[in-house]
Amino acid sequence: MATINLKAFPYSEDVTCPKCKNIITLYDPEGSEYCVCSSCNSFIRFIANDTPVIQKNAPPIKQQPVLKLGSVGLFNGYNFKVIGYIEKKEKDAGYAWREYILYNYEKGYANFAEYDGHWTFVAGKEFYPNLEKLSARSWEFIDFEDNEYNLFNKYTAITTAILGEFDWDILYEWAKTSEFVAPPNIIYKEQDKPGTSTADFYLGRYAEPREIADAFKTDIKLFPEKIGIGANQPSVHAKRWFSVYKLTPLLVVLVAVIGFISLYLNPQHMVMDNDFFILSDSTKVNEFKPFVTPSFTLDKSSSALEFSIKSDIDNNWLETTVVLVNEKDNQSWEVTESIEYYHGYEDGESWSEGSQEANVLLSGIPGGKYHLNIYPASGDTRNKSIHININANPVVWRNVWVTILLLCLYPLYAWLRMRNYEKRRWMNSDYSPYETDK
Amino acid sequence: MNTIKAARIYLVFALLIIGYYTYAALNGIAFWESSSVTRNTEYNNNSRVRGVHAFYHK
């Protein structure tokens, strides 16, 4: 067992390799039961009276460790010393990763796991006592400390190369492992002995190479480049989404409240609702005599006006030019609207198209006295009337919908990016909750 | 508080939109009005050009 409950790192000791006489430095001489000679790769066990005995030859490492053995750093609130390096692979598959054994004099072992440039700080129940509450069931997910961890991967890990010192016989370790992810965290469930119901749980947290390099004073250039998306790599898009998804409904409510307040301060009111008789102009085809409506007043300094123009046309059309004229300064607004309404009965079915009504919205009309000049024309010269209705300060629904749409654009974008990111993450898993292309 | 900090750019953008929405609601301004509306540009000593819908009053 690693030496724990100390107040500082123990003094290191040098031992001589029984085979090649190379000097091996042990950083936890009391606690480490096994070590590897970096010169001849002998896997050495210390038996009674700390006598080194060669067990077998350890396979040589394929990659030089990024963190040097013996380097010290403050990480996650604990002082660690790197005392071991392990290369592992998945049984019957080509996936390989690296682990750095970190020794802390108070709690014992933790490690960094590195796969495709993605680093995870992993520690057991000595560092996270709540892991003790978990038990070995065959879950699809784990609820742990308010997070739901979803099954991401299952595999058997095989040690392919080692360096440094250990307190257990790592070469014989064939851990059956399940990974459960809740980025940036990951829980590893390891069963060393097949067929048993007991398991060890470890909690991992995604670590950026920069923070590891800073903590262990290592050149960041030595760290491998990230490839793809790590199993527990936090998503910046998820962070953006979770920061706005609760805010957006509040902002939409705020838009509604502002709408109600403006409606209360500037209530909608009708300034005209009249039928106007129209007379055909016998000198022009389809045209009627223009006419002027009674005046009306807008009290507010700036108002929106909503016009509704109706006529009882039947299988015909009507076009009218309406000019809103300010009687004080002759400022005017002109709008030409067409109404078409056709209907019939064909092949046993009734049909209709068009409408007998047209609507126009005018924006920011200054206060003052106004009248309308009307210039009607119609295909039906028997048409006798036009109905004009004008509301001041109407609810401008297009403003409401456009504002809500603009407020929702960024959350929608963040959600789509988050979903895309998660889909790519889960492409590396056999347990993806997303539909995958077969 | 962390939520607001993480979403501050969105919040600034949202408040600008809501600010203009409030201004428009209180002043009867539509984000856009009917496309067929034209305004005259010459009335009682005013010869400023306003927008693209300039026309001469009948």
Side-chain angles (χ1 to χ4, degrees), chain B residues 7-18:
Chain B
R8 60 188 181 277
I9 295 174
Y10 169 70
L11 206 56
V12 169
F13 170 74
L15 290 177
L16 282 175
I17 293 170
I18 291 174

Side-chain angles (χ1 to χ4, degrees), chain A residues 300 302 334 364 398-399 407, chain B residues 10 26-29 31-32 38:
Chain A
K300 210 166 152 277
S302 178
E334 179 184 296
R398 65 187 64 178
N399 287 12
L407 291 176
Chain B
Y10 169 70
L26 294 175
N27 290 284
I29 294 169
F31 286 176
W32 73 95
T38 53

